Amino acid sequence: MAAGQGSAAVMERRLSAAEAQCARAGVQLTELRRQVLALVLEAEQPLGAYALLDRLKTQRPGAAPPTVYRALDFLLEQGLIHKVERLNAFVGCAGAGHDHHAGHQHAHQFLICRQCGQTIEISDPMVARALAEAASRVGFQAGHAVVEVEGRCATCAAVA
Amino acid sequence: MAAGQGSAAVMERRLSAAEAQCARAGVQLTELRRQVLALVLEAEQPLGAYALLDRLKTQRPGAAPPTVYRALDFLLEQGLIHKVERLNAFVGCAGAGHDHHAGHQHAHQFLICRQCGQTIEISDPMVARALAEAASRVGFQAGHAVVEVEGRCATCAAVA
DNA sequence: CGGGGTTCTGTTACTATATAACTTCCTGGG
DNA sequence: CCCAGGAAGTTATATAGTAACAGAACCCCG
């Protein structure tokens, strides 16, 4: 197995779901985009664009920064991956393929473990609501929100 | 006047408060650090490190990236400024000097206007609470949280 | 079939953001 | 005086992201 968020079979299922989602949206999950998505999904942690590029080069020797950034932009637009701003890195969207959000952004939050680097995605409606209320209280029309909490995950807390 | 968040008199008051806060913490607000803080405070919008560097060079011709980054690191540690991750830019801490948080991080959120670029800092206890609860629900020990909402400020919404 | 878009990818070059590593300077304590 | 530690200077480099144009593949339409 290639390490990562799940077995090869799970990976395949997620890629197929992505394929289906793109088909529905009328956009193409090309080979390149699929490769980059697979690289993001099989990582245990958020990966930076250049880390992805290095890995991509093993399959596609001519790859250059724009190669990977264009694929990432596409995947972000389709809501298949998210960017972790604090880390300048990318992770697979936890909810992708569950079609309660076919394509495009949904409210989500990241919990970033400072010890093991694992990044947990949650989607807490109370956080979203509190933010929307706080914003509207000052007349601000809220769009997409970046919410990233640094701390210690349950596993690392249990060890020490 | 030098443009920015307030008059020269207000600036002086904020710098003095910063000085006092550093003295209490047993750290030095050196001339360099004070200059960088002044540059951040007098800007209307978040400024990137290199924008600050350009301005700093007028006062300190030999300044290089580490010059400004080191000062920024110090100011961040003292809680005198914040970094806006989405913009890779820095703003003065709205509450600094009010000593309900002498030194070090306090929970805050940014509302970033996509139109005028203005960044409003708020400190909503409900948001902080919702986040803390959501984190603890999955056994995560929450530390500092980055919360940045992109959208449209009241002023820009009123115009169009 | 043959333009002529559009979309995707390749390629080169570059800009922007951030840090490493070593040196120098200054200050305060013995 | 000497030295320990913090701050700043200096050089070089690492990391992140984009601009701009060229080529290829595809599809539609006439």
Side-chain angles (χ1 to χ4, degrees):
Chain A
M1 168 177 15
Q5 299 179 335
S7 66
V10 171
M11 276 278 307
E12 266 317 313
R13 221 169 305 135
R14 293 188 73 176
L15 289 171
S16 300
E19 197 105 55
Q21 180 178 313
C22 287
R24 258 178 278 129
V27 297
Q28 315 174 45
L29 187 64
T30 61
E31 180 58 17
L32 170 63
R33 290 164 178 175
R34 189 182 164 100
Q35 285 173 340
V36 172
L37 177 56
L39 289 172
V40 172
L41 292 180
E42 76 191 13
E44 311 216 341
Q45 299 184 356
L47 287 184
Y50 283 73
L52 288 165
L53 178 55
D54 285 343
R55 301 180 187 206
L56 185 61
K57 277 179 179 163
T58 67
Q59 300 167 296
R60 199 176 269 260
T67 312
V68 71
Y69 276 105
R70 286 194 288 233
L72 290 170
D73 286 345
F74 171 87
L75 297 169
L76 285 170
E77 266 167 27
Q78 300 309 314
L80 294 167
I81 63 172
H82 297 303
K83 178 170 185 182
V84 186
E85 296 288 342
R86 276 281 289 267
L87 308 176
N88 294 320
F90 302 85
V91 287
C93 170
H98 290 185
D99 105 345
H100 53 265
H101 76 296
H104 300 292
Q105 315 296 10
H106 62 113
H108 64 277
Q109 300 90 39
F110 288 123
L111 307 176
I112 307 167
C113 182
R114 71 166 70 96
Q115 204 156 330
C116 69
Q118 194 190 144
T119 296
I120 302 153
E121 179 181 343
I122 62 177
S123 190
D124 187 287
M126 290 311 279
V127 170
R129 188 160 147 267
L131 257 182
E133 282 176 7
S136 74
R137 205 168 290 133
V138 294
F140 189 91
Q141 299 175 351
H144 178 65
V146 169
V147 180
E148 300 173 359
V149 185
E150 166 250 13
R152 226 157 153 234
C153 74
T155 310
C156 288
V159 171
Chain B
M1 169 179 11
Q5 299 179 337
S7 66
V10 171
M11 276 278 307
E12 266 317 314
R13 221 168 306 136
R14 294 187 73 177
L15 289 172
S16 300
E19 198 105 53
Q21 180 179 310
C22 288
R24 256 178 280 130
V27 297
Q28 317 174 44
L29 185 63
T30 61
E31 180 58 16
L32 169 63
R33 292 164 176 174
R34 190 184 163 100
Q35 284 173 341
V36 172
L37 177 57
L39 289 172
V40 172
L41 292 179
E42 76 192 12
E44 311 216 341
Q45 299 184 355
L47 287 183
Y50 284 73
L52 288 165
L53 177 55
D54 284 344
R55 300 179 188 207
L56 185 60
K57 277 178 178 163
T58 67
Q59 301 167 293
R60 198 176 271 258
T67 312
V68 71
Y69 277 105
R70 286 195 286 233
L72 289 170
D73 285 346
F74 171 86
L75 297 169
L76 286 169
E77 265 167 28
Q78 300 309 314
L80 294 167
I81 64 172
H82 296 305
K83 178 170 185 183
V84 186
E85 296 289 340
R86 278 279 290 269
L87 307 176
N88 295 319
F90 303 85
V91 288
C93 170
H98 291 183
D99 103 343
H100 54 266
H101 75 295
H104 302 291
Q105 315 298 8
H106 62 112
H108 65 276
Q109 301 89 38
F110 288 123
L111 308 175
I112 306 168
C113 181
R114 72 166 70 95
Q115 204 157 331
C116 69
Q118 194 190 145
T119 295
I120 302 153
E121 179 181 342
I122 62 177
S123 189
D124 187 287
M126 289 311 278
V127 170
R129 189 161 146 266
L131 258 182
E133 282 176 7
S136 74
R137 205 168 289 136
V138 294
F140 188 91
Q141 298 176 349
H144 178 66
V146 170
V147 181
E148 300 175 357
V149 185
E150 167 248 12
R152 227 157 153 235
C153 72
T155 310
C156 288
V159 171

